[in-house]
Amino acid sequence: MRPLFEIEKTSINIDWKVLKIKRVLDIPITDGPHETPELLDEGIPFLSAESVKKGKLDFNLKRGYISREDHKKYIKKCKPQRDDIFMIKSGATTGNVAMVETDEEFSIWSPLALIRADKEKIIPKYLYYFIGSSAFREQVEISWSFGTQQNIGMKVIENLFLSVPSLHFQEKLVQYMESKVVQIDKLIEMKGEIIHLLEQQRQSIITESVTKGLNPDVKMKDSGVEWIGEIPEHWEVKRLKNVLALNPSKNEVDALKGLGVTFLPMENILAPNEVNISITKNIEEVYSGYTYFKNNDLVVAKVTPCFENGNIAVMQNLKNSIGFGTTELHVLRAKPKQNIYFYFYLAQSAPFKQEGVSTMYGVGGLKRIPSEFILNYKFAMPSVSEQNEIVEFLNEKCTELECIKKLINGQIEKLKEYRQSLIYEAVTGKIDVRDMELD
């Protein structure tokens, strides 16, 4: 296989070599257990692909904890240690990498491949930067295979190529990349904080609107519900089951057998009301074992952290007006004379999220919102005309905030592109750092 990158043919890289990655490893690439362990509320942290975030391991996103007995069994095959590199080898984030920067004990699951540098041949940080570069990523993308999702085998990874200068030059390159990358990452972090403030502002506006209305001078009364507080005097306290049907029956779709319908994996709900409905399946493939919905139904992710992140949408433009999705969705259908978009915003309000999280069941990272919470949730209900006014107001405000977010996200993407370009040029010999004064 010919490498997808070329070393610049200049005097600065006459000592560079192009090698298969297995030539610079301390041990063969390995992975975690392929069995599903029992997850506990305490014990040894158990990490999988979702813990790989922004080039680091986020222990807050662990699957859960496992027993010390399971940990002892798993580390016979794969025992993580400081300076190890993890690459996701299956799923939507295949190819993403992180470096271990802790001495804490933990175990990993099979979607992660452990890559350990031979420090006599390569500096771990240099290997980390190369594996995270577009020079390596392009090789991963043409080498992975597809089943239900993309994946790449460990032996395939071992036979991908990297460029390796002398250890002394690697050290210089790492110093250079670290100094530049830190500056870029600080800018990205600052802009990320602005995005976070905009999201907080959005939720604050939504919460105020769906619990207090739009008229600041309206007479208020005590709702009698702790998490709601005061509400407009003419509003009523109701339970959601009074105005919405939960997970409605799919008997009405019998006449559509043989036709194509929309299929919705949970990850295709990208953000509030941002949905990818491009997948179509024959109704017989999904009729049993999947969650049914139709146009104008509200779908809500019920598993953490998707629930908290607002994986929620009012379904529109479905194939043949109906769809099926993962069982990790709750479906809410408005009864007559109710505006489903009011409930779309209600489900994003702070009280709804906070109360929902407090009722979650399950262990580790697999907690879910129970049906009983949805059915019995108490909220302040305005008239339909006020629901319409609130929805119109929130549509306008949220669109304004979303435009600002998109502008800032565009700036973040340009910074990330520059970061990636800088790393690519460094690890492929296009930057001469031999005589640079580096801190």
Side-chain angles (χ1 to χ4, degrees):
M1 173 182 175
R2 181 179 178 275
L4 295 181
F5 60 89
E6 292 184 358
I7 302 301
E8 196 74 20
K9 302 300 183 184
T10 69
S11 60
I12 70 172
N13 49 48
I14 55 175
D15 294 329
W16 288 59
K17 298 177 181 177
V18 176
L19 302 171
K20 290 184 177 181
I21 190 173
K22 64 184 177 183
R23 297 277 301 277
V24 297
L25 299 184
D26 187 50
I27 60 173
I29 295 175
T30 186
D31 62 1
H34 289 244
E35 66 184 45
T36 303
E38 179 185 1
L39 294 177
L40 310 172
D41 288 326
E42 57 183 23
I44 306 297
F46 188 67
L47 277 56
S48 191
E50 61 271 11
S51 297
V52 174
K53 290 291 180 184
K54 300 177 182 179
K56 298 182 181 294
L57 287 177
D58 188 340
F59 279 74
N60 292 320
L61 298 176
K62 57 184 170 291
R63 278 292 167 109
Y65 297 94
I66 58 173
S67 67
R68 181 158 291 279
E69 289 72 24
D70 279 344
H71 176 62
K72 286 180 179 178
K73 178 172 63 173
Y74 297 154
I75 61 176
K76 290 178 181 178
K77 177 187 181 188
C78 179
K79 184 178 182 181
Q81 64 185 40
R82 183 181 288 274
D83 293 335
D84 282 345
I85 299 160
F86 290 121
M87 189 180 95
I88 300 173
K89 61 183 178 69
S90 63
T93 54
T94 295
N96 288 3
V97 299
M99 193 167 193
V100 180
E101 298 176 332
T102 180
D103 294 313
E104 180 181 355
E105 280 189 295
F106 66 96
S107 276
I108 63 169
W109 206 17
S110 57
L112 294 180
L114 184 151
I115 303 171
R116 182 171 298 163
D118 181 342
K119 295 181 181 179
E120 294 184 0
K121 298 177 181 177
I122 195 166
I123 295 172
K125 199 75 172 186
Y126 177 82
L127 180 59
Y128 160 76
Y129 276 122
F130 195 99
I131 293 175
S133 74
S134 57
F136 196 78
R137 175 77 187 196
E138 289 175 2
Q139 297 180 75
V140 170
E141 290 182 1
I142 70 163
S143 301
W144 65 29
S145 56
F146 285 89
T148 55
Q149 56 191 356
Q150 64 246 31
N151 62 84
I152 186 167
M154 292 179 288
K155 292 298 181 183
V156 176
I157 299 171
E158 287 182 343
N159 285 292
L160 300 181
F161 292 88
L162 74 164
S163 52
V164 187
S166 66
L167 285 170
H168 174 71
F169 199 39
Q170 288 178 41
E171 186 175 357
K172 285 271 192 177
L173 285 167
V174 167
Q175 285 181 277
Y176 170 77
M177 288 186 285
E178 293 277 85
S179 64
K180 296 294 184 181
V181 165
V182 165
Q183 295 173 26
I184 297 169
D185 286 347
K186 282 183 179 178
L187 285 173
I188 292 173
E189 184 179 352
M190 288 171 58
K191 292 185 180 295
E193 288 173 358
I194 296 173
I195 295 288
H196 180 64
L197 290 173
L198 288 169
E199 289 170 346
Q200 286 185 321
Q201 184 181 359
R202 180 183 186 277
Q203 184 166 86
S204 177
I205 292 171
I206 289 172
T207 299
E208 184 72 12
S209 300
V210 300
T211 59
K212 311 297 180 189
L214 303 180
N215 183 358
D217 300 319
V218 71
K219 190 173 181 180
M220 306 292 282
K221 68 179 180 182
D222 183 7
S223 67
V225 181
E226 182 181 354
W227 61 81
I228 301 177
E230 289 194 331
I231 62 174
E233 189 175 47
H234 61 289
W235 287 22
E236 297 180 84
V237 173
K238 296 281 189 180
R239 296 180 190 270
L240 281 179
K241 64 183 177 182
N242 300 135
V243 293
L244 300 174
L246 179 65
N247 301 325
S249 166
K250 59 188 175 187
N251 292 335
E252 62 194 79
V253 303
D254 288 344
L256 294 175
K257 288 186 176 179
L259 297 180
V261 296
T262 296
F263 180 70
L264 185 70
M266 189 165 60
E267 60 267 22
N268 281 19
I269 306 175
L270 309 173
N273 240 23
E274 185 179 340
V275 188
N276 178 354
I277 56 168
S278 62
I279 303 175
T280 298
K281 289 183 178 287
N282 187 287
I283 194 169
E284 278 78 13
E285 295 180 73
V286 293
Y287 189 82
S288 300
Y290 291 92
T291 301
Y292 158 68
F293 49 82
K294 67 178 185 176
N295 281 338
N296 295 315
D297 282 347
L298 175 62
V299 297
V300 180
K302 62 183 178 183
V303 65
T304 191
C306 300
F307 174 80
E308 300 94 306
N309 291 342
N311 288 44
I312 175 175
V314 177
M315 303 311 300
Q316 298 289 350
N317 303 313
L318 301 173
K319 181 77 171 179
N320 286 312
S321 299
I322 62 172
F324 288 82
T326 170
T327 55
E328 301 294 6
L329 295 174
H330 281 309
V331 176
L332 300 134
R333 182 173 297 169
K335 294 182 179 180
K337 298 183 180 180
Q338 298 296 319
N339 187 329
I340 191 63
Y341 285 95
F342 174 80
Y343 299 97
F344 163 73
Y345 284 116
L346 177 71
Q348 296 172 70
S349 66
F352 185 87
K353 286 186 177 183
Q354 290 163 4
E355 290 302 309
V357 169
S358 72
T359 67
M360 280 185 163
Y361 66 96
V363 296
L366 298 177
K367 294 183 179 179
R368 296 173 176 83
I369 296 293
S371 299
E372 290 74 18
F373 163 73
I374 302 286
L375 291 169
N376 293 310
Y377 181 75
K378 292 181 179 179
F379 72 102
M381 188 180 79
S383 66
V384 176
S385 61
E386 279 189 275
Q387 289 181 28
N388 295 339
E389 290 173 3
I390 290 168
V391 167
E392 184 177 355
F393 170 78
L394 288 176
N395 284 345
E396 180 180 347
K397 288 296 182 182
C398 290
T399 298
E400 290 174 3
L401 292 174
E402 193 59 35
C403 286
I404 299 171
K405 277 179 61 178
K406 284 183 177 178
L407 178 64
I408 298 172
N409 276 324
Q411 296 170 348
I412 290 173
E413 286 307 308
K414 288 187 181 298
L415 286 168
K416 288 180 177 178
E417 288 172 9
Y418 174 58
R419 183 185 192 274
Q420 189 62 253
S421 174
L422 182 149
I423 293 171
Y424 174 83
E425 292 187 351
V427 300
T428 56
K430 296 175 176 63
I431 296 176
D432 187 358
V433 296
R434 290 176 299 176
D435 299 320
M436 289 184 182
E437 292 294 328
L438 300 168
D439 295 333

